[in-house]
Amino acid sequence: MTKNKQQMLPQPDISIITVNYNGLQDTCEMIVSLQAHLHRCTYEIIVVDNGSRQNEAALIQQRFPSIRTIRSEKNRGFAGGNNLGICEARGKYIFLLNNDTYVEDDTLFYLCETLTQHPEAAAVSPKIRFAAPPQHIQYAGFTPMSRYTLRNKSIGYNEPDKKQYDRTIPTAFLHGAAMMIRQDIIEKVGLMPEIYFLYYEEMDWCNHIANKGYQLYYEPRCTIYHKESKSTGSDSPLKTYYLTRNRLLYAWRNRQGTARVIALLYQVCIAIPKNLIVNLSSCKTSQLKAITKGITDFICLKNKTL
């Protein structure tokens, strides 16, 4: 749908934004699931094609004329791709949804309801379950992150869903695969930081939002199913590189003074050497190179606080 036609339509409740990177099939399956199940709220779907090898934005637009597509000729990373969509969004609520997810019911409106019922709430994530059988829980909220080790826990991770986490509660962090934020909050706190490129940017954003005095919520009445790690691989050197670099970057940006020094020392002297030893014992040369490059690139990275 053209931009002029979109501007003539009433403001939707939700702008659903998904970033596509060589994931045409997953993205199309996600759109089909949304269009088949969502009826109790108005919404628009914005697909950002983030530098795919072919112009998948054009292919998606042809198949789904009612949605909006944005083509970026280069891969701008997770935050960069989502920010492109956010800048074009018209909804009262912005729902960032991974393209390798799908829904099975019409419960997305519960996320809007949570943000409406809790004035202090800036953003909310639904329950997330793995798509692969037996569809255990991936996310039911996050515990706070340790001040020095930067460790926290995904509540319910890999547990059967027996409704043991079916209470709406505040959470320390949202999940990047599915997170809804009020449009007016983005106007106040700014867009997601693009310096990370991949991994930890949503954690940094959540921390920034919380530091502004807002609350984050987990809402189990809505469930999203997640295939996970299709674009990077579950144990790829690319993933290892960004996780290594970005843990250090997160510590630098979100800790101050002595806490920053201790957090960085823990990563460099304990966490990273442990990972090196594990991969060395398994002769995973590509992983060793990824870890080393992650450390080097963090040190060389300029303007770490941008």
Side-chain angles (χ1 to χ4, degrees):
M1 184 178 292
T2 66
K3 189 171 183 178
N4 288 336
K5 287 183 178 179
Q6 283 284 343
Q7 291 173 341
M8 294 172 63
L9 296 174
Q11 181 187 30
D13 297 323
I14 307 170
S15 292
I16 302 171
I17 298 170
T18 193
V19 176
N20 173 81
Y21 176 68
N22 301 318
L24 181 63
Q25 181 176 342
D26 279 337
T27 302
C28 290
E29 289 174 358
M30 183 209 69
I31 294 169
V32 168
S33 79
L34 294 171
Q35 293 183 338
H37 292 99
L38 300 188
H39 306 293
R40 285 192 275 185
C41 56
T42 59
Y43 63 93
E44 64 175 353
I45 299 174
I46 301 174
V47 176
V48 179
D49 185 25
N50 210 16
S52 296
R53 288 185 293 271
Q54 61 175 331
N55 186 349
E56 294 187 352
L59 298 174
I60 293 167
Q61 187 72 77
Q62 183 178 20
R63 181 170 175 182
F64 305 99
S66 64
I67 74 165
R68 300 171 65 185
T69 59
I70 300 170
R71 167 69 177 175
S72 173
E73 292 301 326
K74 68 173 184 178
N75 187 343
R76 298 168 58 96
F78 178 78
N82 276 300
N83 287 343
L84 280 178
I86 290 171
C87 290
E88 295 294 323
R90 299 168 48 250
K92 182 179 179 181
Y93 303 104
I94 308 299
F95 188 42
L96 306 182
L97 185 64
N98 272 22
N99 73 314
D100 59 345
T101 62
Y102 61 87
V103 300
E104 289 190 339
D105 53 29
D106 187 11
T107 56
L108 199 61
F109 76 97
Y110 283 123
L111 302 182
C112 304
E113 186 176 284
T114 299
L115 294 177
T116 301
Q117 291 178 347
H118 300 274
E120 80 285 3
V124 58
S125 276
K127 179 189 293 181
I128 303 175
R129 292 172 60 179
F130 291 108
Q135 296 187 320
H136 284 173
I137 295 170
Q138 181 180 18
Y139 169 88
F142 273 123
T143 62
M145 188 175 290
S146 165
R147 183 171 177 80
Y148 302 125
T149 67
L150 305 184
R151 290 182 176 181
N152 70 331
K153 179 183 177 183
S154 180
I155 298 170
Y157 185 84
N158 210 27
E159 294 182 22
D161 187 3
K162 299 179 179 179
K163 304 187 183 300
Q164 69 272 42
Y165 301 110
D166 276 9
R167 187 166 62 92
T168 303
I169 58 170
T171 183
F173 296 97
L174 306 178
H175 198 292
M179 52 192 292
M180 180 180 287
I181 182 168
R182 288 163 36 196
Q183 175 73 275
D184 64 300
I185 295 295
I186 297 176
E187 294 170 0
K188 294 174 183 177
V189 305
L191 296 168
M192 200 184 310
E194 298 185 14
I195 191 171
Y196 289 92
F197 193 81
L198 188 65
Y199 301 119
Y200 276 90
E201 54 272 270
E202 76 275 17
M203 310 289 272
D204 189 298
W205 205 27
C206 287
N207 201 50
H208 183 55
I209 292 168
N211 286 340
K212 293 291 186 180
Y214 298 106
Q215 184 69 66
L216 308 172
Y217 272 83
Y218 158 69
E219 176 50 77
R221 290 178 295 174
C222 175
T223 298
I224 301 294
Y225 294 86
H226 189 200
K227 302 171 189 175
E228 189 174 44
S229 289
K230 283 293 188 70
S231 59
T232 61
S234 59
D235 188 28
S236 70
L238 180 69
K239 183 175 182 178
T240 298
Y241 164 76
Y242 279 113
L243 286 175
T244 302
R245 191 197 72 154
N246 290 349
R247 283 193 193 101
L248 295 167
L249 183 58
Y250 180 90
W252 182 276
R253 288 169 56 89
N254 292 279
R255 298 293 183 267
Q256 288 77 42
T258 303
R260 176 193 284 175
V261 173
I262 295 173
L264 289 170
L265 284 174
Y266 176 83
Q267 292 299 316
V268 172
C269 299
I270 299 176
I272 291 174
K274 179 182 177 181
N275 288 336
L276 286 169
I277 291 170
V278 169
N279 284 287
L280 183 62
S281 64
S282 302
C283 299
K284 294 183 178 179
T285 306
S286 60
Q287 295 284 357
L288 293 170
K289 290 180 179 178
I291 294 170
T292 304
K293 181 172 171 55
I295 300 168
T296 303
D297 286 0
F298 164 75
I299 294 170
C300 297
L301 184 64
K302 298 179 181 180
N303 300 321
K304 293 180 176 67
T305 57
L306 288 180

